[in-house]
Amino acid sequence: MSGSRIVALGHYQPPKVLSNDDLAVLVDTDDEWIRTRVGIRTRHIAEGESLVDLATEAAQKALAHSGRTAEDIDLVVVATCTAIERSPNTAAAVAARLGVRAPAAYDINTVCSGFSYALATADHAIRAGAARRALVIGAERMSDTLDWTDRSTCVIFGDGAGAAVVEAQEEGAEPGIGPVVWGSQPEKGDAVVITGWDPVISQQGQAVFRWATTQLAPLARQACERAGIDPSELRGFVPHQANLRIIDAIARKLGLADAVVARDVVDSGNTSAASIPLAFSKLVERGELSPGDPVLLFGFGGGLAYAGQVVRCP
Ligand code: UT7
């Protein structure tokens, strides 16, 4: 096999929307602070829908868009940091709901960079001949980790899911998923913390902000180099949706020419491992990207881990 490609995307967000004004009733905050510091206007919050519900909805849409069925899938990977159940894992639960027969099914937790890690492992499995067609899902119920009295976190995060159908390409075809650049700074791991049995998220916001705006652009550039493409040739840039100021700082440093930059954080907040497939799927659905367009995905966050790759738009 010469590699794999994304054939379709899908996404799902729970219907309940919280505005900045809604949050200003709960904590000492205001719309102006949230918009100027983070860029968020709204976020979706799950009520009565589980993590598996969100992941399954997104996966069903991706499958429908791909024209394939559950029977065609032999690998399911879910990137998430908010799974409550240890067994069965989220991937197995989603596979059971969809009726996927006998898949390899596993979860990955590298927090906000999870989708790019999951996509890389699916691509590697397909290249190795261990799978032919995968569902790769990023799904989060970040609201489970929120302290609704902590203004430094409860205004930032949201719930949602995005999914991709990934399949093998024939010999000689140009790879639709480029080489991954991944790594971490484990010595800085305590900058984003979600620990314990009833976990609450906390982060050293400024430390993560500094790391993201000073260290990541060269790594994102490396992902382009490894795919044999100059950043100025990118048609799309879909980074993790943590903060509009971080997204714009990395985009500026990359010297993008006429790439569409995903700014879904404005509507969806930070949905951790779901943010990249969610934002990517929306850009494709709105026709802002076209089939074959080179798009740089770049995830970063807790760990502090990062991963990115250039993919061809489905
Ligand atoms: O996705 C996982 C990876 N995480 C990230 O990438 C996050 C990166 N960091 C960030 O995006 C930003 O650091 C935050 C959005 C988290 C915070 O923005 P900031 O500009 O770094 O604010 P800060 O934490 O330095 O706080 C500045 C002030 C403080 O008040 P004092 O001490 O200056 O009086 C905070 O108490 O803003 C205050 N503050 C708020 N004020 C109104 C913190 N949260 C709020 C709030 N509303 N919601």
Side-chain angles (χ1 to χ4, degrees):
M1 291 302 163
S2 63
S4 70
R5 67 187 177 111
I6 297 174
V7 288
L9 295 161
H11 65 273
Y12 177 76
Q13 291 179 285
K16 181 175 178 178
V17 176
L18 271 191
S19 70
N20 293 342
D21 289 341
D22 292 334
L23 287 162
V25 175
L26 301 178
V27 288
D28 180 16
T29 191
D30 56 78
D31 179 58
E32 165 78 9
W33 189 95
I34 302 170
R35 275 192 297 103
T36 54
R37 296 291 184 119
V38 207
I40 300 171
R41 288 177 186 273
T42 56
R43 68 289 289 147
H44 292 243
I45 300 296
E47 281 185 328
E49 285 176 295
S50 69
L51 177 69
V52 173
D53 293 333
L54 305 182
T56 304
E57 289 278 353
Q60 263 165 343
K61 289 186 178 170
L63 265 182
H65 295 155
S66 74
R68 277 62 165 179
T69 68
E71 291 191 358
D72 299 318
I73 300 296
D74 58 7
L75 171 63
V76 181
V77 191
V78 176
T80 187
C81 68
T82 49
I84 295 171
E85 283 79 17
R86 268 57 171 176
S87 179
N89 62 27
T90 315
V94 171
R97 288 271 192 92
L98 294 173
V100 181
R101 282 202 220 122
Y106 57 90
D107 290 4
I108 282 186
N109 175 10
T110 60
V111 204
C112 303
S113 58
F115 184 77
S116 282
Y117 269 84
L119 189 63
T121 67
D123 175 54
H124 298 167
I126 290 171
R127 283 173 186 275
R132 272 202 67 80
R133 192 170 288 121
L135 261 174
V136 182
I137 304 165
E140 301 283 15
R141 254 186 72 122
M142 293 305 288
S143 57
D144 280 343
T145 70
L146 294 178
D147 171 355
W148 292 101
T149 65
D150 178 3
R151 68 178 183 174
S152 74
T153 49
C154 76
V155 305
I156 289 175
F157 295 94
D159 302 333
V165 175
V166 175
E167 68 183 27
Q169 287 177 295
E170 293 313 314
E171 201 68 56
E174 191 191 336
I177 296 179
V180 69
V181 169
W182 57 12
S184 64
Q185 290 207 273
E187 70 283 4
K188 292 185 178 161
D190 59 2
V192 180
V193 173
I194 313 174
T195 53
W197 286 102
D198 190 10
V200 172
I201 191 166
S202 62
Q203 63 176 345
Q204 298 163 22
Q206 286 196 6
V208 183
F209 188 94
R210 238 184 342 268
W211 171 71
T213 51
T214 60
Q215 309 290 306
L216 299 184
L219 298 164
R221 188 173 285 278
Q222 250 179 51
C224 295
E225 280 165 16
R226 295 205 58 206
I229 190 167
D230 188 83
S232 63
E233 297 170 288
L234 290 170
R235 297 306 312 276
F237 176 43
V238 186
H240 169 49
Q241 303 289 297
N243 184 319
L244 205 51
R245 290 188 292 145
I246 296 176
I247 294 167
D248 289 338
I250 299 176
R252 215 168 25 246
K253 286 188 176 183
L254 284 174
L256 305 177
D258 62 355
V260 176
V261 177
R263 293 191 172 88
D264 186 49
V265 66
V266 175
D267 299 320
S268 305
N270 180 342
T271 58
S272 188
S275 83
I276 288 178
L278 187 55
F280 192 11
S281 178
K282 286 185 184 180
L283 290 178
V284 172
E285 188 175 75
R286 292 199 297 260
E288 293 185 45
L289 291 168
S290 304
D293 281 350
V295 179
L296 172 64
L297 312 181
F298 200 85
F300 58 88
L304 293 176
Y306 58 85
Q309 61 273 89
V310 175
V311 302
R312 294 282 163 177
C313 186

